[in-house]
């Protein structure tokens, strides 16, 4: 299995370009299923998750090709309405094809999703939305032969309805938005997720001819239309990748310009980095982060957008391992997202977990160790931690990291980091 070696590195210096957003492009790829013809998506990050989603669309009958950062999808001939376990279990976001298939073909059968092991991650809110629009849901949880599949179908048309989400789930909001684009009348999603990726999907759908209003607020209204047309679209930059390099600059006491970022999308990271002592300059589409002399302690609580993003939590935990004093990190979005704490502790961190809260007592240095990436962001956090650890850190299970970071080793190396990837069978 391949692994990444990180050696103690000098302060990071220079500039790094952020790729297109993984979490924005995955639902947009699913949304191409809504129109006959050829859609073109620009700024697509070449990631394992994008490959899995493309494979899934090919399995359904679409023709997909990637030219650099351009993804071309012809969804004219969709022959299958079923997504099998071997594709869906690789990535939870595969479940996002259910909304578009149900919407355009009135039927879909999808294996229960997999993805990062950061909690139980149910799909009840997605299904609640589909049911409200008039779909019949059969959950083959205990059916011999079809175990683990969920089937949704509708006789006639889906019909717009008011749907209140018990939690502002990103995936459920996206799936319901896509299911509702052809529904008769008006669908209202209340307590909807407000993440920038929701706004990007709404913009994409509206470019196709949909009528989605209010994305970015907690109430989204979708007025059903008759047809959608394929369009060319450029995806937003990845705010979590941007946040990752911001943390790397801070932790190594570096001076890094992060390019291709929308500063508004990384407000929580800017606020927390400023609190711990960083100097930050914001430009139209770039951010300069100058690390502090002393990393001040702080408190972090993850929340749905515009709160502090759970996807940056493990990165900030790595940063706070070297804080002056005591910091706390509270995770409210996923119940199992402290799995990297024991790995950081193997590197000398002082972290105590009590339920949803981690208390981090700053230590003077980390020490290189052999560690395991337990999920995508946790893996990146271990690489970043390794940059300031004495000696050598070996990060295993890096397939998690490949799901969400375009060439993290190359990008960090360009900033002066001593980081290498070792390919093994
Ligand atoms: C998306 C992101 C992920 C990010 C997360 C939260 C993608 C591809 N992934 O994941 O990187 O960490 O948002 O910002 O965009 N929940 C339910 N029932 C449901 C759906 C969700 O209870 O039907 C719960 C989950 O268990 C979790 C919380 O809602 O506790 C948030 O999940 P959700 O917002 O749906 O995350 P994802 O869309 O899976």
């Amino acid at each position: 299995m391949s692994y990444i070696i990180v050696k103690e590195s000098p302060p990071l210096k220079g500039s790094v370009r952020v790729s297109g957003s993984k979490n924005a492009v995955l639902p947009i790829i699913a949304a191409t299923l809504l129109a006959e013809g050829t859609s073109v998506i620009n700024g697509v990050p070449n990631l394992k998750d994008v490959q899995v989603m493309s494979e899934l669309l090919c399995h359904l009958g679409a023709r997909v090709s990637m030219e650099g950062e351009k993804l071309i999808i012809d969804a004219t001939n969709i022959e299958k309405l079923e997504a099998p376990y071997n594709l869906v279990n690789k990535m939870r976001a595969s479940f996002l094809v259910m909304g578009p298939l149900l919407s355009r073909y009135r039927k879909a059968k999808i294996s229960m999703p997999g993805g990062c092991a950061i909690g139980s991650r149910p799909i009840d809110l997605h299904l609640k939305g589909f049911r409200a629009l008039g779909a019949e849901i059969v959950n083959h949880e205990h059916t011999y032969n079809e175990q683990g599949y969920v089937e949704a179908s509708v006789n006639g048309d889906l019909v717009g309805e008011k749907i209140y989400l018990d939690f502002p789930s990103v995936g459920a909001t996206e799936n319901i938005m896509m299911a509702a684009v052809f529904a008769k009348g008006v669908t209202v999603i209340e307590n909807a997720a407000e993440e920038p990726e929701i706004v990007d999907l709404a913009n994409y759908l509206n470019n196709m001819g949909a009528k989605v209003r209010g994305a970015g607020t907690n109430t989204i209204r979708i007025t059903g239309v008759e047809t959608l047309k394929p369009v060319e679209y450029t995806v937003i930059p990845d705010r979590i990748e941007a946040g990752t390099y911001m943390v790397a600059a801070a932790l190594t006491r570096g001076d890094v310009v992060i390019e291709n970022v929308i500063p508004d999308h990384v407000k929580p990271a800017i606020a927390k980095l400023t609190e711990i002592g960083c100097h930050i300059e914001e430009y139209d589409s770039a951010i300069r982060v100058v690390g502090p002399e002393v990393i001040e302690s702080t408190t972090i609580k993850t929340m749905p957008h515009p709160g502090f993003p759970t996807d940056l939590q493990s990165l900030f935990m790595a940063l706070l391992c070297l804080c002056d004093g005591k910091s706390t990190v509270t995770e409210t979005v996923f119940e199992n997202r402290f799995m990297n704490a024991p790995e950081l502790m193997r590197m000398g961190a002082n972290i105590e977990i009590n339920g949803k809260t981690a208390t981090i007592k700053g230590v003077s240095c980390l020490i290189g160790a052999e560690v395991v990436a337990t999920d995508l962001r946790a893996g990146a956090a271990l690489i970043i931690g390794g940059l300031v650890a004495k000696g050598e850190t070996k990060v295993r299970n890096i397939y998690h990291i490949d799901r969400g970071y375009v060439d993290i080793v190359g990008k960090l190396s360009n900033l002066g980091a001593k980081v290498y990837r070792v390919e093994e069978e």
Side-chain angles (χ1 to χ4, degrees):
M1 289 250 264
S2 307
Y3 54 90
I4 289 175
I5 296 286
V6 193
K7 293 189 173 160
E8 189 179 3
S9 301
L12 299 186
K13 293 239 171 337
S15 66
V16 58
R17 188 179 174 280
V18 170
S19 300
S21 163
K22 167 179 94 70
N23 287 354
V25 83
L26 294 175
I28 287 175
I29 295 173
T32 63
L33 290 168
L34 290 164
E36 257 187 43
T38 303
S39 307
V40 178
I41 313 167
N42 296 310
V44 176
N46 191 356
L47 294 171
K48 192 77 196 134
D49 274 9
V50 170
Q51 289 159 17
V52 172
M53 196 60 140
S54 302
E55 247 180 83
L56 175 53
L57 261 72
C58 288
H59 167 86
L60 300 174
R63 294 170 63 175
V64 184
S65 60
M66 181 105 169
E67 293 169 9
E69 292 190 343
K70 191 187 279 282
L71 190 66
I72 302 155
I73 301 173
D74 180 352
T76 306
N77 296 313
I78 300 302
E79 296 143 4
K80 291 199 190 106
L81 303 177
E82 189 172 324
Y85 177 74
N86 69 336
L87 285 174
V88 181
N89 85 325
K90 288 185 188 157
M91 183 184 68
R92 183 180 162 81
S94 313
F95 198 69
L96 292 172
V97 298
M98 187 166 245
L101 289 181
L102 181 61
S103 188
R104 183 167 156 204
Y105 297 99
R106 294 160 195 225
K107 196 167 161 6
K109 186 173 165 188
I110 318 279
S111 174
M112 298 288 263
C116 275
I118 52 173
S120 63
R121 307 188 83 174
I123 47 165
D124 55 318
L125 298 173
H126 302 237
L127 301 183
K128 177 181 173 180
F130 299 149
R131 269 198 199 96
L133 298 176
E136 192 194 334
I137 308 287
V138 182
N139 196 338
H140 291 285
E141 219 169 337
H142 306 294
T143 316
Y144 184 66
N145 266 344
E146 301 193 277
Q147 206 172 13
Y149 276 84
V150 183
E151 208 169 340
S153 58
V154 62
N155 274 330
D157 294 318
L158 291 169
V159 180
E161 187 50 271
K162 191 181 271 188
I163 300 155
Y164 175 83
L165 296 181
D166 302 305
F167 185 89
S169 154
V170 173
T173 304
E174 293 167 343
N175 230 342
I176 297 167
M177 263 163 69
M178 293 188 281
V181 284
F182 297 134
K184 295 282 167 223
V186 181
T187 301
V188 182
I189 311 175
E190 292 180 334
N191 199 27
E194 300 174 32
E195 269 71 0
E197 294 76 19
I198 303 281
V199 178
D200 211 33
L201 176 63
N203 287 339
Y204 178 70
L205 293 171
N206 286 339
N207 277 6
M208 295 172 86
K211 285 193 180 151
V212 182
R213 303 288 177 263
T217 75
N218 64 5
T219 306
I220 301 177
R221 276 166 208 280
I222 305 124
T223 306
V225 295
E226 292 285 319
T227 56
L228 293 180
K229 60 178 191 309
V231 291
E232 179 158 355
Y233 190 78
T234 301
V235 79
I236 52 169
D238 196 308
R239 65 193 166 101
I240 306 302
E241 192 196 6
T244 302
Y245 293 112
M246 290 166 75
V247 170
L251 185 56
T252 61
R253 273 81 159 178
D255 183 349
V256 175
V257 175
I258 294 117
E259 291 170 354
N260 193 34
V261 51
I262 299 171
D264 249 19
H265 290 178
V266 287
K267 269 187 189 163
I270 294 175
K272 286 296 155 188
L273 289 176
T274 307
E275 264 177 49
I276 62 131
C278 288
H279 168 76
I280 304 219
E281 289 169 20
E282 290 179 44
Y283 301 95
D284 284 349
S285 60
I287 289 180
R288 178 179 173 211
V289 179
V290 184
E293 290 268 306
V294 174
I295 299 174
E296 301 293 344
S297 57
T298 190
T299 53
I300 288 178
K301 189 176 185 180
T302 66
M303 300 283 271
H305 192 79
F308 188 91
T310 172
D311 283 351
L312 285 180
Q313 182 260 103
S314 17
L315 277 310
F316 272 75
M317 184 184 273
L319 172 63
L320 294 174
C321 288
L322 294 192
C323 75
D324 182 28
K326 194 168 84 178
S327 296
T328 59
V329 173
T330 304
E331 172 62 58
T332 75
V333 178
F334 289 109
E335 77 269 28
N336 197 10
R337 219 171 186 180
F338 284 146
M339 287 186 306
N340 70 324
E343 302 301 312
L344 289 169
M345 282 152 79
R346 289 168 53 74
M347 298 170 72
N350 182 343
I351 306 171
E352 214 180 284
I353 309 278
N354 198 346
K356 292 178 168 183
T357 300
T359 304
I360 305 150
K361 288 194 185 124
V363 292
S364 57
C365 70
L366 292 175
I367 297 151
E370 189 163 332
V371 287
V372 175
T374 49
D375 69 56
L376 164 56
R377 306 303 168 187
L382 295 172
I383 297 179
I384 303 300
L387 297 173
V388 292
K390 302 266 170 253
E392 190 176 288
T393 300
K394 183 174 185 177
V395 184
R396 290 197 170 277
N397 286 9
I398 58 171
Y399 56 86
H400 284 298
I401 302 169
D402 293 337
R403 290 188 40 218
Y405 286 94
V406 176
D407 192 20
I408 190 167
V409 166
K411 289 186 183 186
L412 285 171
S413 299
N414 281 341
L415 297 172
K418 294 182 186 163
V419 50
Y420 318 93
R421 186 181 173 113
V422 180
E423 300 295 348
E424 260 187 11
E425 282 302 301

